Amino acid sequence: MNKENLFKELKELVTELSKSTQEITEGTNMTYDLGFDSILLIELFTAIEERYHVEFDFEGIDFEKIVIYENFVNYVASVIEVSK
């Protein structure tokens, strides 16, 4: 899977969980723009773990940085080792 496909797949998950109609772009702030709180972020990471058979180290996640969609995608890509 390449990063572009991952961007689209994660966008679907984020949209589903947030129930927001706002367009998701690289600069979207998932907290302010989509209403994500810590519980929704954990649900999102859990859904990704199940879908891609990976495990996240929540201690190592910078949640202030990861709420920007592009940073989020880059982090997930690094964990599941997506080709560029």
Side-chain angles (χ1 to χ4, degrees), residues 71-83:
N71 296 341
F72 168 73
V73 172
N74 289 335
Y75 175 73
V76 172
S78 72
V79 171
I80 64 174
E81 300 177 7
V82 169
S83 61

Side-chain angles (χ1 to χ4, degrees), residues 29-80:
N29 183 307
M30 295 181 351
T31 301
Y32 297 116
D33 299 329
L34 304 178
F36 270 76
D37 59 13
S38 57
I39 293 171
L40 273 179
L41 283 172
I42 297 298
E43 286 181 31
L44 177 60
F45 279 108
T46 301
I48 294 166
E49 286 178 333
E50 291 172 2
R51 177 181 258 182
Y52 297 102
H53 308 287
V54 295
E55 190 171 318
F56 293 99
D57 174 14
F58 294 115
E59 303 260 336
I61 296 175
D62 180 354
F63 283 101
E64 289 182 21
K65 182 178 178 184
I66 212 78
V67 296
I68 304 301
Y69 189 69
E70 181 178 29
N71 296 341
F72 168 73
V73 172
N74 289 335
Y75 175 73
V76 172
S78 72
V79 171
I80 64 174

Side-chain angles (χ1 to χ4, degrees), residues 1-6 77-78 80-84:
M1 169 184 307
N2 64 33
K3 205 169 195 178
E4 184 177 318
N5 289 340
L6 180 65
S78 72
I80 64 174
E81 300 177 7
V82 169
S83 61
K84 297 185 182 205

